[in-house]
Amino acid sequence: MENRGILTVVSGFAGSGKGTLMKELIRNYDCYALSVSATSRAPRPGEEEGVSYFYKTREEFERMIEKGELLEYAEYVGNYYGTPRSFVDEKLSEGKDVILEIEIQGAMQIKKQYPEALLLFITPPSAAELKERLLRRGTETEDVIRKRMQRAAEEAEGIDQYDYIVVNDDVAECTELLHGIIRAAHFTPRHQAEFVEKIREELQGNR
Ligand code: 5GP
């Protein structure tokens, strides 16, 4: 059986609850490694350097781009976000399923570089519920919430590019569903290439 991990991209509208879901996945199962992104946005209350994000100035971020240190990056509502390359490579070769919680432009860059990556899209049950969750979070100004809702409408156009869409109604159920989907991805022929080759060779020898 293949022992390289699956690169899993998780996208979803801001307020879809994907952050909570990722924390639950990591807490419940030790087969996952969650990539910590670099960003030029300011920390929100309660966020921690190196846990939520690596916080950078725009200049520092641009230097990371120039040095090729990012696997992908994008600008989202006025700030840079990007995935440091080294962590992802290291964890995949250790056999961990690496989760990138990133927006859609980054997801498309990953899909191009790693056609075997698994792309999941998380959404709340309705637009009204999304707005409600953003308001409840209480960390953003009205203007930012409006921009994020507009952005969600744009992002919804890209859902077809993903492999699976998961509606986040109940955190526990949704966590199990995500785990099931990622487990199942290990058993596609594409992720079992070594095994497929081995059994083909054995069968050839038995003709
Ligand atoms: P937030 O500011 O709410 O933490 O994140 C805003 C958006 O940026 C979210 O959709 C989040 O998934 C995305 N994001 C976080 N890290 C990265 C990253 O490394 N690359 C890309 N492309 N998007 C990211």
Side-chain angles (χ1 to χ4, degrees):
M1 289 277 145
E2 160 185 293
N3 51 20
R4 200 174 153 79
I6 294 206
L7 183 57
T8 305
V9 170
V10 176
S11 300
F13 314 123
S16 61
K18 59 189 188 306
T20 310
L21 290 169
M22 294 312 104
K23 277 191 205 126
E24 279 300 286
L25 262 189
I26 300 286
R27 198 168 66 85
N28 293 347
Y29 303 100
D30 62 8
C31 51
Y32 299 112
L34 185 60
S35 159
V36 177
S37 298
T39 184
S40 67
R41 97 152 152 66
R44 290 196 192 112
E47 288 186 347
E48 243 181 276
E49 163 71 19
V51 178
S52 317
Y53 283 104
F54 296 106
Y55 297 95
K56 306 281 174 194
T57 62
R58 288 186 74 83
E59 293 68 32
E60 285 169 340
F61 197 101
E62 281 162 5
R63 261 199 303 280
M64 291 180 83
I65 300 173
E66 279 162 24
K67 287 196 197 151
E69 288 173 11
L70 300 173
L71 202 54
E72 61 71 38
Y73 71 93
E75 265 200 281
Y76 178 91
V77 196
N79 290 302
Y80 281 128
Y81 295 85
T83 305
R85 187 184 294 279
S86 51
F87 177 88
V88 173
D89 289 342
E90 185 188 309
K91 293 294 169 185
L92 283 177
S93 50
E94 281 173 16
K96 295 274 188 192
D97 294 331
V98 176
I99 299 180
L100 310 183
E101 193 212 306
I102 62 179
E103 53 69 67
I104 190 163
Q105 304 167 71
M108 294 305 109
Q109 292 174 44
I110 294 292
K111 190 170 162 160
K112 233 188 236 162
Q113 290 180 62
Y114 298 87
E116 73 284 10
L118 176 65
L119 270 63
L120 311 179
F121 196 94
I122 298 178
T123 167
S126 68
E129 172 73 22
L130 180 63
K131 189 157 187 195
E132 180 59 36
R133 288 187 196 176
L134 283 174
L135 288 168
R136 225 183 299 147
R137 190 150 79 180
T139 51
E140 254 95 26
T141 62
E142 219 170 274
D143 183 50
V144 170
I145 291 178
R146 198 174 41 77
K147 282 196 187 131
R148 289 189 176 224
M149 288 302 289
Q150 264 171 19
R151 185 62 187 229
E154 287 163 27
E155 286 177 342
E157 293 302 309
I159 289 179
D160 297 335
Q161 303 297 319
Y162 287 75
D163 297 310
Y164 294 92
I165 174 163
V166 178
V167 176
N168 180 17
D169 213 352
D170 176 274
V171 171
E173 260 177 42
C174 198
T175 306
E176 288 315 298
L177 182 55
L178 286 170
H179 179 61
I181 292 171
I182 302 169
R183 288 312 304 151
H186 278 269
F187 301 96
T188 59
R190 194 202 275 171
H191 286 286
Q192 293 292 337
E194 263 174 43
F195 176 80
V196 171
E197 198 179 324
K198 176 181 100 57
I199 200 150
R200 279 184 181 146
E201 269 169 23
E202 288 170 3
L203 289 165
Q204 286 288 343
N206 257 309
R207 268 192 184 168

